[in-house]
Amino acid sequence: MSSTKDGERDQFDNLDKHTQWGIDFLERYAKFVKERIEIEQNYAKQLRNLVKKYCPKRSSKEEEPRFTTCLAFFNILNELNDYAGQREVVAEEMGHRVYGELMRYSHDLKTERKMHLQEGRKAQQYLDMCWKQMDNSKKKFERECREAEKAQQSYERLDNDTNATKADVEKAKQQLNLRTHMADENKNEYAAQLQNFNGEQHKHFYIVIPQIYKQLQEMDERRTIKLSECYKGFADSERKVIPIISKCLEGMILAAKSVDERRDSQIVIDCFKSGFEPPGDFPFEDYSQNIYRTISDGTISTPKQEGMKIDSKTTVGKAKGKLWLFGKKPKGPALEDFSHLPPEQRRKKLQQRIDELNRELQKETDQKDALIKMKDVYEKTPQMGDPGSLQPKLAETMSNMDRLRMEIHKNEAWLSEVEGKVAARGDRRHSSDINHLVTQGRESPEGSYTDDANQEVRGPQQQHAHPNEFDDEFEDDDPLPAIGHCKAIYPFDGHNEGTLAMKEGEVLYVIEEDKGDGWTRARRQNGEEGYVPTSYIDVTLEKSSKGS
């Protein structure tokens, strides 16, 4: 009996240890899943931070990317952001379907295991109690039997002893009968306890314990099945998002295929296209003409050496007197009419401003219509509001509309001006008589220019496309030689830097012909140089210059 009970306890302890190991293994796997979830979450977070770092910060529409390479990269960033979202989906699915399920099941498993083990221990304790009761009744029966045997021997000894009194013999007989009766009762008690124990023992080993073992086995098998399901769910969590991740990768490939080198090149061309006319051929400079020049030539009586002897402050080759009429951008603020920009860029800016003003005008128009409708409603239904309260807002809207119309008209005039000049240059570019000096504006200063002195000066700022052309020329310390002379037909203020003011009838040296842009470069006798409108002067070139 003792070996059987010890063997049973050993098996029960083994099952106790095994089921505990199963729960520990399940929780270990749950910890693994949790760490994997943290990796996915950190990965997604790092991807999102990376996307945020390289995404453009668009403070204005002008800074929006236009190149196909930029657009493709930003599309790739968007796809990568979606990819990061799918990694978050994986983490969320693992957390809900695997980790959360494992933790709930682990709690239930511990409760169930504890219940089965308690049932097994109770069954063992009950069998031990039955065995003790049977063993006690057995020992008591054994003790009573020995007492009965002693009483039998004492009665027989007194009964055979002739010296013993009858009373002693009778007393010994009564004692024998009492012990025999008690032995019989204990025998019956022992038999009953033995029968009860055998029944409980049979029930314990054939019914109770096998049932508990079966429940523990089923519990462990369910744990195994649950782990299998979680293994599968772990993989399914990621397999579920593979189609969407594939779409993200396909989007990246499509973004790569959308790169168009010709379109990018065209954008660069459109962005930096100036609209300036390419410079004409350089004329032949005949330095030998000074040898044959006499004092009686023309109206210029001062030798060229005198023109060269000028103060260092006005020397053309010095940095302070450098002419940047078409070459360098003024340091001052941008002009309202964008005349500081090349013609093509100026045209774009003006067109953009006109479009914006038209949009604002449309908004104001819509607001005016809404206010008028509201005013009509208030007039028809006074309880809804006072029509007079809308008058200030309506007046303000009308004022804004008038202002916007004036702005649009003004910008459209500038746009027409720049488009007319670009078209005129195009005509001159295809004309064979490029160096024709007498223009329509020769008859009147208003022929090809406006009365605004600023607009007169804007002409040369819009005509030259090669900034370094004049910088390189003005870097030379020696001034350019005169190729002729001119007489001012009309006065010219020359307020803008790079232009030369002149009075009516004033005679100047011509040091550079009109290249088709309507401006001639001239120099006073004191060495001061600048550009003057060709239509404002009467030019006389040297024979050698004309011939060249």
Side-chain angles (χ1 to χ4, degrees):
M1 173 61 189
S2 177
S3 60
T4 302
K5 289 170 65 177
D6 292 341
E8 181 198 346
R9 288 192 177 91
D10 291 340
Q11 293 298 330
F12 199 74
D13 290 341
N14 291 335
L15 290 177
D16 186 354
K17 292 178 182 178
H18 173 73
T19 52
Q20 182 61 46
W21 172 87
I23 293 175
D24 292 342
F25 183 80
L26 185 140
E27 290 181 342
R28 184 184 179 194
Y29 177 68
K31 185 180 179 182
F32 160 78
V33 174
K34 182 181 179 182
E35 292 182 4
R36 171 62 190 277
I37 291 171
E38 291 174 354
I39 291 174
E40 289 290 349
Q41 290 172 340
N42 292 332
Y43 179 47
K45 182 179 179 181
Q46 289 175 357
L47 285 179
R48 288 196 184 276
N49 289 338
L50 182 66
V51 170
K52 184 178 179 182
K53 177 181 178 182
Y54 284 92
C55 268
K57 298 178 180 178
R58 300 176 183 175
S59 57
S60 65
K61 293 183 178 179
E62 294 182 357
E63 297 179 6
E64 292 184 359
R66 295 173 294 170
F67 296 106
T68 57
T69 48
C70 296
L71 294 174
F73 177 57
F74 298 142
N75 287 336
I76 288 173
L77 289 177
N78 290 332
E79 296 293 348
L80 187 60
N81 194 58
D82 294 341
Y83 176 86
Q86 295 309 307
R87 304 317 307 181
E88 291 174 343
V89 170
V90 171
E92 184 178 355
E93 186 73 10
M94 284 184 178
H96 174 71
R97 184 175 176 181
V98 182
Y99 180 74
E101 185 65 23
L102 284 173
M103 296 309 294
R104 286 190 296 269
Y105 186 74
S106 174
H107 179 268
D108 296 341
L109 196 65
K110 289 178 180 178
T111 303
E112 184 181 359
R113 173 180 174 274
K114 183 178 180 181
M115 180 186 68
H116 293 324
L117 293 178
Q118 286 178 349
E119 289 177 355
R121 292 189 182 94
K122 287 180 180 179
Q124 186 64 47
Q125 291 173 359
Y126 179 71
L127 185 64
D128 290 342
M129 182 189 67
C130 293
W131 182 81
K132 288 180 179 179
Q133 290 178 352
M134 183 272 296
D135 189 57
N136 289 334
S137 62
K138 176 184 175 181
K139 291 178 178 177
K140 189 175 182 180
F141 170 61
E142 183 182 5
R143 187 171 56 252
E144 291 299 330
C145 287
R146 285 198 298 269
E147 292 295 330
E149 288 178 358
K150 290 180 181 179
Q152 179 69 26
Q153 292 174 0
S154 176
Y155 170 73
E156 290 178 352
R157 186 176 64 252
L158 289 174
D159 188 38
N160 294 328
D161 187 3
T162 55
N163 296 325
T165 62
K166 187 177 180 179
D168 292 335
V169 174
E170 188 64 24
K171 185 177 179 180
K173 184 177 180 180
Q174 290 179 356
Q175 187 67 23
L176 175 61
N177 291 335
L178 178 62
R179 289 297 178 185
T180 302
H181 178 71
M182 292 181 64
D184 290 339
E185 287 182 353
N186 283 285
K187 179 180 180 181
N188 293 334
E189 178 67 21
Y190 168 63
Q193 291 293 337
L194 180 61
Q195 184 178 3
N196 180 63
F197 172 75
N198 288 333
E200 292 297 333
Q201 181 175 256
H202 184 275
K203 181 181 177 182
H204 177 80
F205 284 102
Y206 288 94
I207 298 176
V208 178
I209 291 299
Q211 184 66 27
I212 293 175
Y213 285 175
K214 183 180 180 181
Q215 291 172 347
L216 288 172
Q217 179 181 353
E218 291 175 351
M219 181 193 72
D220 196 61
E221 289 176 354
R222 287 198 306 273
R223 176 192 62 84
T224 305
I225 294 173
K226 178 60 70 174
L227 277 173
S228 174
E229 292 174 352
C230 290
Y231 291 162
K232 183 176 179 295
F234 182 82
D236 285 341
S237 299
E238 188 156 1
R239 187 170 62 178
K240 235 188 235 185
V241 302
I242 286 178
I244 303 178
I245 289 177
S246 297
K247 288 183 180 180
C248 293
L249 299 177
E250 289 174 5
M252 294 181 186
I253 294 173
L254 290 176
K257 291 181 179 179
S258 69
V259 174
D260 187 346
E261 69 281 3
R262 293 192 177 276
R263 181 181 173 189
D264 285 359
S265 297
Q266 189 61 42
I267 291 174
V268 176
I269 293 171
D270 294 340
C271 182
F272 299 110
K273 184 178 179 181
S274 66
F276 288 139
E277 183 180 354
D281 296 337
F282 280 92
F284 175 76
E285 300 180 6
D286 188 0
Y287 294 98
S288 64
Q289 62 184 344
N290 295 327
I291 300 175
Y292 306 104
R293 178 177 296 177
T294 63
I295 298 175
S296 61
D297 288 344
T299 59
I300 305 175
S301 61
T302 306
K304 186 177 179 182
Q305 286 77 4
E306 294 180 5
M308 296 176 61
K309 294 178 181 179
I310 56 178
D311 187 64
S312 60
K313 294 182 179 179
T314 59
T315 302
V316 178
K318 300 299 180 180
K320 291 184 179 179
K322 188 182 294 184
L323 297 178
W324 48 267
L325 183 60
F326 315 121
K328 296 184 179 179
K329 183 179 180 181
K331 293 183 179 179
L335 300 177
E336 182 185 5
D337 61 352
F338 300 111
S339 59
H340 61 288
L341 297 175
E344 186 64 25
Q345 301 302 320
R346 183 187 180 197
R347 184 186 65 78
K348 285 185 179 180
K349 292 288 186 181
L350 288 172
Q351 187 61 55
Q352 290 176 2
R353 180 187 286 172
I354 290 171
D355 294 340
E356 291 176 1
L357 291 172
N358 281 325
R359 285 193 292 269
E360 292 181 14
L361 179 60
Q362 185 61 43
K363 290 180 181 178
E364 295 293 337
T365 304
D366 295 341
Q367 185 173 357
K368 182 199 72 171
D369 295 341
L371 289 171
I372 291 174
K373 290 180 181 179
M374 191 179 297
K375 184 178 179 182
D376 292 341
V377 172
Y378 285 178
E379 289 175 350
K380 294 177 181 178
T381 314
Q383 60 268 22
M384 293 187 67
D386 181 15
S389 63
L390 300 177
Q391 191 59 35
K393 186 64 177 177
L394 188 59
E396 181 184 354
T397 303
M398 297 293 289
S399 175
N400 290 338
M401 290 174 62
D402 293 339
R403 177 181 57 80
L404 289 171
R405 288 194 185 99
M406 291 179 61
E407 287 290 328
I408 292 172
H409 179 71
K410 181 170 61 175
N411 282 272
E412 285 178 344
W414 288 333
L415 182 62
S416 299
E417 174 191 346
V418 70
E419 287 178 344
K421 290 184 179 180
V422 171
R425 279 196 301 274
D427 295 339
R428 287 200 301 270
R429 189 177 297 116
H430 297 290
S431 173
S432 59
D433 191 13
I434 298 178
N435 294 324
H436 183 60
L437 298 176
V438 181
T439 64
Q440 183 180 357
R442 178 65 58 86
E443 298 177 359
S444 171
E446 288 81 9
S448 59
Y449 301 93
T450 63
D451 292 335
D452 188 358
N454 292 332
Q455 292 186 5
E456 291 176 356
V457 179
R458 286 171 197 147
Q461 290 178 334
Q462 300 166 7
Q463 304 298 326
H464 289 259
H466 301 281
N468 295 329
E469 178 184 348
F470 295 98
D471 288 346
D472 295 338
E473 290 178 6
F474 301 151
E475 289 293 337
D476 299 333
D477 292 332
D478 296 332
L480 294 173
I483 59 175
H485 63 275
C486 64
K487 183 178 180 180
I489 303 174
Y490 308 103
F492 177 62
D493 295 335
H495 292 306
N496 286 50
E497 188 171 352
T499 60
L500 183 65
M502 60 182 182
K503 300 178 181 179
E504 183 179 353
E506 184 177 0
V507 178
L508 306 171
Y509 290 109
V510 175
I511 59 175
E512 187 177 313
E513 292 184 73
D514 184 351
K515 295 184 178 180
D517 55 10
W519 294 84
T520 300
R521 187 173 174 187
R523 180 170 60 216
R524 284 199 178 91
Q525 294 183 11
N526 62 1
E528 185 179 357
E529 294 184 3
Y531 286 88
V532 296
T534 306
S535 60
Y536 279 42
I537 57 176
D538 185 11
V539 180
T540 302
L541 298 178
E542 300 293 340
K543 293 182 180 180
S544 59
S545 175
K546 291 181 180 180
S548 62

